[in-house]
Amino acid sequence: MTADPSTEPAPAAHAAPPPARDLPGSGEGQRHVLVVLVLDRPGVLNRVASLMRARNFNIDSLAVSRTDREQVSRMTITLHGDAVRVEQAAKQLYKLVDVLKVQDVGATDQVVEHELVFVKVRATDQNRAEIIKVVELYKGRVVDIAPESVIVEATGTESEIDALVALLRAYGIKELVRTGAVVMLRGAGSIEEALKWEGPAR
Amino acid sequence: MTITKGEPAAAPGAVQTAPDATAATRPERRSHVPADGSASAAAVEQARREMLHEGPRQRIKRTRIGADALMEALMLQGADTLFSYPGGVILPIYDILGDYPEIRHVLVRHEQGGGHAADGYARASGKVGVCMGTSGPGATNLVTAIGTAQLDSVPMVALTGNVPAALIGKDAFQEIDITGITLPMTKHNYLVRDADEIPRVVAEAFYLAKTGRPGPVHVDFTKDALQQETAAEHPTLEEVIAGLPGFRPTVEGHPKQLKMAAREIEQAKRPLILAGHGVLIAEAWDELQAFAEKTQIPVAWTLLGIGAIDETHPLAYGYMGMHGWKHVNRAIQSADLLIAIGMRFDDRVTGSVRTYAPYARIIHADVDPAEIGKNVAVEVPIVGDAKRVLEGLARLAHEVDPATRQPYFEQLAEWRRESEGSSWHGSGAWRDGLLSADYVIGRIGELTSHQATMVADVGQNQMWVARYAGFRRPNSHVSSGGLGTMGFALPAAMGAALGNPEAETWAIAGDGGFQMTSQELMTLAVDRIPVKIALLDNKKLGMIRQWQEIIYAGNYHSSHLPGPDFLKLAEAYGIPAFKATTTDEVDATIRAAQAVDGPALIWFEIAEEQNVLPMMPAGKGLSDLIETWGPEE
C-alpha cells in the first residue's frame, strides 16, 4: 500500500491543495558578471574553475589579471543563470579560502564593461579599404596588414563585439580571439577598497 | 565453559568469566575463538611487541628537520593519535616518529582504514582527526576517507608525502597529482615544498578543519621539505587568522533575522524543529533542548542529527527522511513551520522538493551560507553557528504553554503510535522465527544502556541502527551519511574507540561493508582496541537487494554475496568471535562480546530478505512512502 498524499490531513486553514514548491535556481536565466578578488596563490585559478565545473555552472568567459594590490588577483567571470543560481555560485566561491570577495555586477548597468578582440580577416586589394571602413565604424583599428589578410583589433561590450564579428564574417574570418569581458563599477566606489584586508604581513 | 579462552595471550586482569546466560544458551561449538597458546594468538602478541619497539631506543643528537616541525605542530594542535601507514617518501617522518611518544601512532592495514579511523576519532571526540599516508597509492587510498569527511563536515587533517620537489611533474615513482585530486573534495589543501612553511601550513590546516563548518584539509609534503633543516617558528593563532584573510566564518546569527524567526515561531500552529549534524558539531544539544522546551516544539532529526536530543525526551519525535519514521515524515508534510538547524535538506531528507512540506514556511539556520537556499527556498535564512542561533532564538521566543498545543500534540502522538506499531517487524522475518536485524540492534542498544558509541556502516544496517538502536547521548551515533561509504564502520569504530575511550564502542556492519575493510581486524588485535563488532550477515547486499526487489522487478543481479566463515576469519586475526543464528542467542552473545577485554566479533546470521520499511522511492516525495511489501498476512 502506498500512502495517498491526499489523505494527509491538511491544516484547516489550507483547504486547497498547496502549490508545488519552487526548485531554487530553476528560474529564467540572465547573463551575470561576477568580479572575484582572490589571493594570488598557486592553484587559485584551478580552484575556481574546478568549483564551477563541480557545481555544474558553465563559465561563458573568464578573464584573470593582477591588481595593483600585492598578492591580490582579479577574475571576471561571465555566466548565465537565474539570480538564485548565480548567488549560489557566488556563495560557493566565497567558501574557497583564497577568495577574498565576490560581487555580482551583472544585474546593474552601473558598470563599464569591455572586452578586446583580434580578428584575422581575409582581405584583397579590392575589399581592404572597405574592411577598414567597417572597422573604423566600430571604433576598431587594423593592427597588421598582409597581402591576403588584416588583423582587426576592437574593444567594446560583448554585444558590440558580436556585431562587428558578424559583419567581418562576410569577408572570411581566418582566426579570432577574445579576452572575455572585464568590468569596473562606475563612480568612486571600489571593490578593492571594500576589501577588509591590508595586504600581506611584512 | 569459558568463552574468553581465546583472549589475546597477554591480557592480565581480563574478565575471564562469562555471564551465566551465555553458558545456558550458546553451544560451545559456535565459538571459534583462538585458544591460549594457539598460533594466531601468539602471532598477534609477537606483532604487538615488535610494533611497540620494546627495548631501549638509541637516541642520537640531530638537527631539527621539516618532519620535526610537523610533529611539533601536531602536538601544539593537541593531536594525540596518528592513524597512518608508512611508505617511501614519508620515511623521514617515520625516522623521527619514535622521538615523539606523546603521539600515539596507530599502524593501520590500509590507508582508507586510517582515514576513516581519523574520521571516527573526530566524530566521537569532537577533536580534529589526523591520518597520514605516503605518495601515490598511499595518498589515493586516503581519497575515499577524505571524501567521506568532506560530505559529513568532519574536522580532519590528512597528511601525505610526495616525491622530492625536483621530481614533481616527472611521473616519478609513486608520484600522482594528489593535491589536484583532493582539491574539489577538501575544505582546502596545500602542497608544501619548503620546510620553513610547515609550521604555518599545519597550523592553518587545523584552524580551517575545525573552524566554521568543519571539514577535511589535506597537506601534501615533498620528501625534501620533510628532510630540510628548519628553524621556522610556530605561528600564534592571531598570526594564523591574519594569514587567512579569505576565511571569516559568520558565527553570530544576524539580530534582524533572529527577530524575524521569532515572529514566525510566535505565529506557527504546527511548528517542527529539524535538527541536523550542525547541532552536534556546535555542541548545541543543551541549547536545542532548552529552545524546544521553552517553545514546546517537537524535534525531528536527520541521520547525522541523531543524538542531538535524547530520544526519550517528550519532545523528541524521530528520524526523518527516506527510511525515516512515517509519523515524522507526516509531521513534516503537515507542518506550517520548519525550523531547520544545521542541516542541508539533502535529497534523502526531502525526496521530491516540489512536494516537500507543502504547508510549511521555513527558517533555515546554518553556519555555511551556501547551504541556505541551495536545495529549498526558505523564508528566513540565518547564517550562524547552531549554538549561537539556538541561544538567540530561545532568548527572543516567548514561553509556550504546552496546553495550547494540545490538538497538535495529540495528532502527533496518534501518528506515532500508528507508525511505530506497523513498521517494527520489517519484512516479516520476525514472524517466521528468523533472526531479524532490527531485533539485534534494539538489543545492542538496550544492553549497552544506550550509552555506547554505535558506528554504523552503510545500507540496511545503517538504517536499522538509525531507527532501532535508541540514542540518548550526543556523538554516540557515527555514520557515513553524505558519501555513504561502505566499509566505514570497522575502521571508524577503531578511531571512535580511541577518540572516546570512556564509551563502549560498537561497529555495526553488514557482510558487504565489513568485507571491504576487514583487514583492520589486525589493527584492532595488535593495538588491542576494544571495538565490539556486530556483523549483520544476510549474505546479501541488502539495500541493493531491496531496491532490486521493489524497484527493479526482482532482478537480483550481483546482490547475492557469499562470505567466508567469519568465526574462522576472526580467529585468524586473534579476535574472539561468537555466532548467533536465533533470537534467543542474541543477548548471550552480546554479553559475551562485552565481557571480552579487547575487540570481539559477533556473527549474526540474520534473515536474508528483510527490507527496511517504510521506504521513500527515489524521486518521490515524503508522502509517497512504501510501507509494506510482499504478500500480506
Side-chain angles (χ1 to χ4, degrees), chain B residues 186-420:
Chain B
T186 49
K187 202 168 164 185
H188 197 52
N189 67 4
Y190 296 87
L191 169 58
V192 181
R193 300 159 179 260
D194 178 351
D196 291 347
E197 298 264 282
I198 291 176
R200 175 185 65 82
V201 167
V202 176
E204 286 185 7
F206 273 81
Y207 179 73
L208 290 169
K210 67 188 177 191
T211 309
R213 179 181 185 173
V217 178
H218 167 223
V219 189
D220 193 26
F221 302 91
T222 61
K223 186 180 184 186
D224 43 342
L226 295 169
Q227 288 172 312
Q228 288 157 2
E229 272 182 43
T230 176
E233 288 176 21
H234 297 279
T236 63
L237 181 60
E238 290 69 32
E239 286 166 340
V240 168
I241 294 170
L244 296 167
F247 182 72
R248 295 284 180 270
T250 306
V251 174
E252 294 291 342
H254 195 287
K256 202 184 93 205
Q257 300 303 103
L258 289 173
K259 265 188 210 130
M260 274 172 68
R263 251 197 322 274
E264 297 277 350
I265 292 165
E266 201 78 17
Q267 285 161 6
K269 297 279 177 280
R270 305 165 74 85
L272 189 65
I273 296 168
L274 310 181
H277 195 194
V279 175
L280 294 166
I281 292 169
E283 303 185 352
W285 40 82
D286 290 339
E287 289 76 7
L288 172 69
Q289 189 176 325
F291 169 66
E293 285 172 358
K294 185 174 183 190
T295 54
Q296 287 295 305
I297 301 178
V299 182
W301 48 86
T302 66
L303 179 66
L304 295 190
I306 289 174
I309 189 165
D310 181 336
E311 289 190 14
T312 61
H313 190 281
L315 287 166
Y317 199 53
Y319 167 54
M320 68 178 87
M322 179 178 260
H323 288 288
W325 293 94
K326 185 188 176 193
H327 60 271
V328 181
N329 290 338
R330 283 175 100 170
I332 291 169
Q333 291 305 79
S334 73
D336 64 355
L337 179 67
L338 298 178
I339 305 158
I341 310 286
M343 52 85 77
R344 57 188 175 90
F345 293 102
D346 170 83
D347 56 283
R348 257 46 181 174
V349 156
T350 60
S352 160
V353 170
R354 308 286 285 178
T355 59
Y356 179 71
Y359 304 107
R361 292 172 65 78
I362 299 177
I363 298 168
H364 189 186
D366 201 287
V367 75
D368 178 358
E371 286 304 342
I372 301 175
K374 184 180 83 178
N375 293 335
V376 298
V378 304
E379 277 72 25
V380 186
I382 308 175
V383 179
D385 174 84
K387 197 181 188 102
R388 294 275 176 274
V389 169
L390 284 165
E391 274 170 1
L393 289 177
R395 204 172 44 243
L396 292 172
H398 293 270
E399 197 139 343
V400 172
D401 176 2
T404 61
R405 296 223 197 272
Q406 214 43 47
Y408 178 39
F409 285 170
E410 277 168 18
Q411 173 76 90
L412 291 183
E414 186 193 322
W415 286 346
R416 183 181 202 148
R417 274 193 301 276
E418 200 181 304
S419 120
E420 290 186 343

Side-chain angles (χ1 to χ4, degrees), chain A residues 1-5 7-11 14 16-24 26 39 41 43 46-47 50 53-55 84 88 91-92 94-100 197, chain B residues 183-184 187-189 208 213 242-247 270 326 330 334 353-354 356-360 362 368-370 372-377 411 415 623-628:
Chain A
M1 186 202 90
T2 302
D4 176 359
T7 63
E8 292 294 341
H14 304 276
R21 203 172 262 286
D22 278 345
L23 289 176
S26 61
L39 285 175
R41 292 200 175 147
N46 190 186
R47 289 180 200 280
S50 169
R53 172 195 52 78
R55 298 276 173 186
V84 173
Q88 174 65 206
K91 285 168 162 183
Q92 294 292 351
Y94 253 122
K95 287 170 70 172
L96 296 177
V97 170
D98 291 339
V99 168
L100 299 172
W197 187 53
Chain B
L183 182 146
K187 202 168 164 185
H188 197 52
N189 67 4
L208 290 169
R213 179 181 185 173
L244 296 167
F247 182 72
R270 305 165 74 85
K326 185 188 176 193
R330 283 175 100 170
S334 73
V353 170
R354 308 286 285 178
Y356 179 71
Y359 304 107
I362 299 177
D368 178 358
I372 301 175
K374 184 180 83 178
N375 293 335
V376 298
Q411 173 76 90
W415 286 346
S623 298
D624 308 322
L625 303 180
I626 294 172
E627 290 180 75
T628 58

Side-chain angles (χ1 to χ4, degrees), chain A residues 2 6 23 44 51 124 133 144 149 158 181:
Chain A
T2 302
S6 65
L23 289 176
V44 64
L51 181 147
T124 61
K133 195 168 277 175
D144 179 72
S149 69
E158 194 181 85

Side-chain angles (χ1 to χ4, degrees), chain A residues 110-121:
Chain A
Q110 297 305 303
V111 292
V112 180
E113 175 186 334
H114 270 183
E115 68 178 303
L116 173 78
V117 65
F118 281 155
V119 194
K120 188 175 282 183
V121 185

Side-chain angles (χ1 to χ4, degrees), chain B residues 448-512:
Chain B
T448 56
S449 309
H450 304 278
Q451 292 302 313
T453 304
M454 300 265 254
V455 185
D457 210 81
V458 167
Q460 288 186 320
N461 63 83
Q462 181 182 32
M463 295 299 110
W464 284 317
V465 168
R467 290 172 63 89
Y468 302 116
F471 291 92
R472 306 199 53 181
R473 177 174 69 75
N475 296 335
S476 61
H477 171 255
V478 174
S479 185
S480 167
L483 197 64
T485 310
M486 281 178 68
F488 175 78
L490 177 57
M494 192 161 86
L498 297 180
N500 181 1
E502 307 299 314
E504 190 176 324
T505 303
W506 282 75
I508 318 271
D511 48 310

Side-chain angles (χ1 to χ4, degrees), chain A residues 30-103:
Chain A
Q30 304 97 30
R31 179 169 181 271
H32 290 256
V33 181
L34 296 180
V35 174
V36 187
L37 296 181
V38 300
L39 285 175
D40 184 14
R41 292 200 175 147
V44 64
L45 177 59
N46 190 186
R47 289 180 200 280
V48 169
S50 169
L51 181 147
M52 297 298 274
R53 172 195 52 78
R55 298 276 173 186
N56 205 16
F57 297 106
N58 194 15
I59 296 178
D60 292 334
S61 76
L62 168 65
V64 190
S65 76
R66 295 221 172 93
T67 66
D68 198 39
R69 277 159 208 261
E70 204 180 333
Q71 288 194 22
V72 178
S73 289
R74 175 163 173 148
M75 298 185 184
T76 310
I77 299 172
T78 65
L79 72 166
H80 275 79
D82 78 354
V84 173
R85 200 169 141 67
V86 174
E87 189 192 354
Q88 174 65 206
K91 285 168 162 183
Q92 294 292 351
L93 285 169
Y94 253 122
K95 287 170 70 172
L96 296 177
V97 170
D98 291 339
V99 168
L100 299 172
K101 182 144 190 76
V102 185
Q103 189 162 339

